[in-house]
Amino acid sequence: MPRVPFRPTEAPQPPSKGVRAATFRLLLDTAMDLIQQDGHIPSIAEVAVRSNVSRATAYRYFPSRSALITSVVDASLGAVRNAPPGTEEAGARERVHQVFKATFPRFQRYEPQLRAALQLALEQWALQRAGLLEEEPYRRGHRVAILAGALAPLKGQLAPAVRDRLHRALSVLYGIEAYTILKDMWDVSEKEIERTVLWMADALIEASVREGKKK
């Protein structure tokens, strides 16, 4: 049976102008600030109170925590998600480096927000497993498309199975998960986190090229 394409949750489309756009921005900025200050995922009601907006209005913009967190992550990483994958002349290794180097400073800047997204995904997994999830789940995974663009130069060089394995392996490194492991368990600097992750990415690419050159 063919695998169903993975579809990460998309952020609600913000209004383009006027009072609605200003209200959306106010609610989103308030949520970003609450996570930054307190480190927890605020409820929609809490965001409404802190924004001096009615709950009914807040729920029209963000009907669930999943919708809210998706917008928080989009505000944190949108610049990276929307960036081109690299020049045509750049190889896969260079493109991967460009992607990681553009993203890790944003992990540092928006660390509480991105940890909150990871927290919500884990919490909802447990609730869904227990049959208690009462909101649509927050699905992560935009990194899949980002890394696909970075690895495009290898399409004609590696066997599909090897290229897919490399893609999956890099997705483990390219995320807040690797960042938190190196920071929480090893207490290393931001610079050393970047060096370590790029070293691992290079090792994966080199091993894949050695193993899987297309015949």
Side-chain angles (χ1 to χ4, degrees):
M1 180 180 296
R3 187 186 302 176
V4 177
F6 179 84
R7 293 187 181 278
T9 306
E10 295 294 340
Q13 190 66 31
S16 59
K17 58 183 178 180
V19 174
R20 285 177 54 79
T23 303
F24 181 95
R25 190 73 241 178
L26 172 62
L27 292 166
L28 179 56
D29 287 346
T30 300
M32 298 276 288
D33 289 343
L34 284 170
I35 296 171
Q36 181 72 37
Q37 294 163 13
D38 303 334
H40 77 284
I41 304 167
S43 66
I44 308 303
E46 184 180 357
V47 174
V49 170
R50 291 289 289 267
S51 303
N52 199 26
V53 171
S54 73
R55 292 188 184 188
T57 297
Y59 275 106
R60 280 200 295 272
Y61 292 94
F62 300 107
S64 66
R65 293 184 306 162
S66 295
L68 179 64
I69 285 295
T70 304
S71 291
V72 165
V73 174
D74 193 61
S76 303
L77 298 178
V80 175
R81 290 176 177 176
N82 298 324
T87 63
E88 291 295 327
E89 297 78 17
R93 180 181 179 278
E94 183 180 344
R95 285 188 174 200
V96 167
H97 275 240
Q98 289 171 352
V99 165
F100 275 77
K101 287 183 176 181
T103 306
F104 271 72
R106 299 189 78 82
F107 285 171
Q108 180 180 3
R109 181 177 176 183
Y110 296 107
E111 181 180 349
Q113 290 83 359
L114 297 171
R115 283 180 182 259
L118 177 58
Q119 176 190 338
L120 181 63
L122 294 173
E123 175 191 326
Q124 289 183 338
W125 179 88
L127 289 172
Q128 190 168 36
R129 185 176 171 84
L132 300 174
L133 185 62
E134 297 180 348
E135 60 184 344
E136 82 279 8
Y138 164 58
R139 304 293 190 196
R140 301 180 304 147
H142 286 276
R143 71 186 74 177
V144 174
I146 293 171
L147 290 170
L151 293 174
L154 292 176
K155 189 170 184 180
Q157 302 176 35
L158 300 182
V162 176
R163 192 175 69 248
D164 288 347
R165 187 185 306 127
L166 173 61
H167 194 171
R168 292 192 295 270
L170 287 175
S171 74
V172 176
L173 299 180
Y174 182 64
I176 194 65
E177 301 89 349
Y179 181 94
T180 57
I181 288 169
L182 291 170
K183 189 167 188 180
D184 295 354
M185 296 183 186
W186 293 95
D187 193 28
V188 296
S189 67
E190 305 290 338
K191 204 65 183 174
E192 186 57 32
I193 290 173
E194 183 178 299
R195 286 196 198 99
T196 302
V197 171
L198 289 176
W199 179 81
M200 289 190 286
D202 285 347
L204 288 169
I205 293 170
E206 290 166 9
S208 298
V209 170
R210 286 197 304 270
E211 174 190 347
K213 284 187 177 178
K214 225 174 181 180
K215 306 297 184 187

